[in-house]
Structures are given as C-alpha cells and as structure tokens.
Amino acid sequence: KLHKYIIFILAGLFGGIFIASCVYGAKYLFEGKLRDKNYLKDLYDLRLLGCLHESDFAEESVGEKDKLKELVKLLLQGNKSIAISSSLNEIEFSNIVSVVREKALENNASVKVITDETMSEISDCDGVIVVEKLDVSDLSKALDNLEVLKGFNVNLLGLALA
C-alpha cells in the first residue's frame, strides 16, 4: 500500500513540474516581447549593426560591440546628424547611445535621442538608427515606432540591439 502512495506522489510531482514548465514556456512565447534578432531586420529590410546581448540575461558581447563601433563609424561618413529612435526608455539602451556618441564625436557629427515628444526633430537628421532590446522591447511598440519612422520617410541606417 505504501508503494502505491509513493507512485502517486511521484506522478503528481512530475505532472506538476510538467504543467509549470508548459505554463512558463507559453508565457515566454506569447507575452509579446521581441525574441528574435532577425525579426525586425528581415521585416523592414534593415542592416543589423550589432546585437550586444543575445537575451536579457546574457553578458554583453565584446565582438558585437566592436562590430557596432566599426559600422557606426562607416555610417557617420557623410552624415552630420544622426538620430537614435527606440520604443524603450533611453536608460535601457544607454550602452548603444554611448557607442554612437563616441564615434560621432570622432567624426564631428551630432547625435539626438528621439522620443515621442521630440519626433518632429527627426526631419533635421541625416539618418536614424533604431535601437531595441531582445526579451525587453514590446514587439507591438517596436513595430509602431518603425511605422512612424517610415511615415516620416527618414533614412533608416540600421538596427542595433542593446
């Protein structure tokens, strides 16, 4: 009789773990966050300038940061004013802003971080770098931001993932 109880206890334990894993997986997949670094790139035919973190929990990739620096340096040639646009708060992608500002100083260019309130200033810029963050950016807000940028008919220079 004790043997029967142990079997039911173990079955309940493993069943509970399975159900919890399914709920967590479904929540992860369907909560509407940007998960794939190529999704926005492919959807809007953008150049991927760099993906500093493969996920919200991953360490910053030094190789990707170097790649971002080189591509930003190339993009700044011929451009005197660059805008950075994102659906996130600036604090969440400050690592990208610091790289772009560093390279802009070297090339005598200016950098503006565009928010909803300053969106009208985007027409003064030669190009726009879109910045989002994997596992953090809300996908619908990121898509809305890109649609607004397309509506302003700006030169989209590329996508950087913070």
Side-chain angles (χ1 to χ4, degrees):
K1 195 165 182 159
L2 181 63
H3 182 63
K4 203 182 236 184
Y5 287 128
I6 292 174
I7 290 174
F8 283 123
I9 289 170
L10 290 176
L13 176 69
F14 288 115
I17 291 171
F18 176 76
I19 290 171
S21 298
C22 288
V23 168
Y24 177 77
K27 183 180 178 229
Y28 178 82
L29 288 175
F30 300 115
E31 70 180 340
K33 300 292 183 187
L34 180 62
R35 302 282 182 212
D36 181 15
K37 69 180 181 180
N38 294 316
Y39 183 73
L40 293 175
K41 175 185 87 75
D42 293 342
L43 188 63
Y44 288 92
D45 196 30
L46 297 170
R47 179 186 306 162
L48 183 61
L49 303 176
C51 179
L52 299 188
H53 297 90
E54 288 292 329
S55 72
D56 189 31
F57 307 106
E59 292 292 318
E60 189 173 280
S61 170
V62 176
E64 284 290 315
K65 191 169 188 175
D66 292 340
K67 173 185 161 190
L68 175 66
K69 286 179 180 180
E70 288 304 311
L71 287 172
V72 168
K73 181 179 173 183
L74 290 173
L75 290 173
L76 284 167
Q77 293 174 352
N79 292 317
K80 291 298 173 198
S81 179
I82 299 290
I84 297 174
S85 180
S86 179
S87 65
L88 300 169
N89 294 325
E90 185 177 346
I91 193 82
E92 297 192 60
F93 59 92
S94 60
N95 53 349
I96 301 279
V97 173
S98 65
V99 168
V100 175
R101 283 200 169 126
E102 173 190 328
K103 291 299 171 187
L105 280 173
E106 293 173 8
N107 289 286
N108 296 321
S110 65
V111 176
K112 294 180 185 178
V113 177
I114 300 296
T115 63
D116 290 340
E117 294 80 31
T118 60
M119 188 62 80
S120 62
E121 296 176 17
I122 205 160
S123 58
D124 300 335
C125 297
D126 297 324
V128 179
I129 295 174
V130 178
V131 179
E132 297 298 339
K133 193 169 187 176
L134 291 177
D135 293 339
V136 176
S137 292
D138 185 275
L139 187 56
S140 64
K141 288 181 181 179
L143 292 171
D144 289 347
N145 183 47
L146 279 161
E147 286 300 320
V148 168
L149 293 173
K150 281 181 65 178
F152 275 95
N153 200 25
V154 295
N155 179 17
L156 293 175
L157 299 173
L159 170 68
L161 297 170

